[in-house]
Amino acid sequence: MAKILFVMTGADRWTLVKGSKFHTGYWAHEFTEPYRAFTEAGHEVVVATPGGVVPPVDRGSLAPYANGGDEQAAKVAEIIAGATPLEQPLALAEVRLADYDAVFYPGGHGPMEDLAVNADSAALLVEALRSGKPLALVCHGPAALLATAADGPSPFAGYRLTAFSDAEERHSGLADQARWLLEDRLVELGADYHSGEPFEPFLQADRNLHTGQNPASAGPLAAAVLAAL
């Protein structure tokens, strides 16, 4: 049995231009699909957040329209309600990578607010990359990579990866309100960014780094992590 660390946002607001706040958190499907896949395979999931706060879910991600209908939305809500690790997160600063076999970052706009500038997350990402353990980030989760360049070039520069695209952000209606767009910043970081069709599953893998573009990529990304384990 493997022990898999989920690093999740603690932010329930995303600061937009002119200081306005967009209600957000983690995107439900990006937690529930990997969580279900890992636990059904017999693995243990542990959640960590900045400060050890309970990760807030983006309420929009629980709606039927975001889950393909009422039945699927109910299943997502049921998984979240039964996921004990969400209720007992560790403080990210206290996490020891040696205790885990893989690291997974769900998305949602929350990471754009906190993990993108979090030094504890950055240190963990760099250590995980160098360890060779599977490291996976999906959708806006790769925003956390930006913090790895706070004191110089990022070790993720040159890595082939994907994340929520500018085209998808425009389609969501938030691109014009955002202070910055994730695809643009990852390119500035030096990453070898690639994307597929908007809102269709799309993965990239480079050495032990595994990334998924959007919510539809969360399940396939979890499968890639299981294969790597």
Side-chain angles (χ1 to χ4, degrees), residues 8 15 22 26 45-46 54 60 62-63 78 112 116 143 162 167-169 191 207 220:
M8 301 181 67
T15 305
F22 177 74
Y26 70 89
V45 169
V46 176
V54 173
L62 298 175
E78 182 180 2
M112 302 277 279
T162 190
E168 288 168 319
E169 205 70 86
R207 287 154 279 187

Side-chain angles (χ1 to χ4, degrees), residues 151-194:
D151 298 317
S154 170
F156 289 88
Y159 272 75
R160 186 181 179 97
L161 54 76
T162 190
F164 203 68
S165 68
D166 289 359
E168 288 168 319
E169 205 70 86
R170 285 191 291 270
H171 190 276
S172 73
L174 291 169
D176 291 340
Q177 303 175 60
R179 293 175 298 167
W180 47 269
L181 297 178
L182 182 53
E183 176 185 335
D184 295 343
R185 289 289 300 276
L186 289 171
V187 171
E188 292 173 7
L189 186 78
D192 182 15
Y193 178 88
H194 295 265

Side-chain angles (χ1 to χ4, degrees), residues 58-200:
D58 187 315
R59 306 306 298 181
S61 70
L62 298 175
Y65 79 86
N67 293 285
D70 291 332
E71 183 177 349
Q72 283 301 114
K75 289 181 180 179
V76 165
E78 182 180 2
I79 293 172
I80 289 174
T84 303
L86 284 176
E87 303 169 0
Q88 302 171 347
L90 301 177
L92 191 51
E94 299 173 2
V95 166
R96 294 177 63 255
L97 180 65
D99 295 335
Y100 303 96
D101 301 289
V103 179
F104 193 97
Y105 277 66
H109 283 102
M112 302 277 279
E113 184 75 14
D114 60 355
L115 296 180
V117 293
N118 187 280
D120 295 319
S121 172
L124 177 68
L125 286 166
V126 172
E127 186 181 3
L129 186 71
R130 292 172 176 166
S131 74
K133 296 179 179 182
L135 170 61
L137 308 93
V138 65
C139 199
H140 290 91
L145 301 180
L146 302 179
T148 66
D151 298 317
S154 170
F156 289 88
Y159 272 75
R160 186 181 179 97
L161 54 76
T162 190
F164 203 68
S165 68
D166 289 359
E168 288 168 319
E169 205 70 86
R170 285 191 291 270
H171 190 276
S172 73
L174 291 169
D176 291 340
Q177 303 175 60
R179 293 175 298 167
W180 47 269
L181 297 178
L182 182 53
E183 176 185 335
D184 295 343
R185 289 289 300 276
L186 289 171
V187 171
E188 292 173 7
L189 186 78
D192 182 15
Y193 178 88
H194 295 265
S195 62
E197 291 298 316
F199 305 107
E200 294 295 325

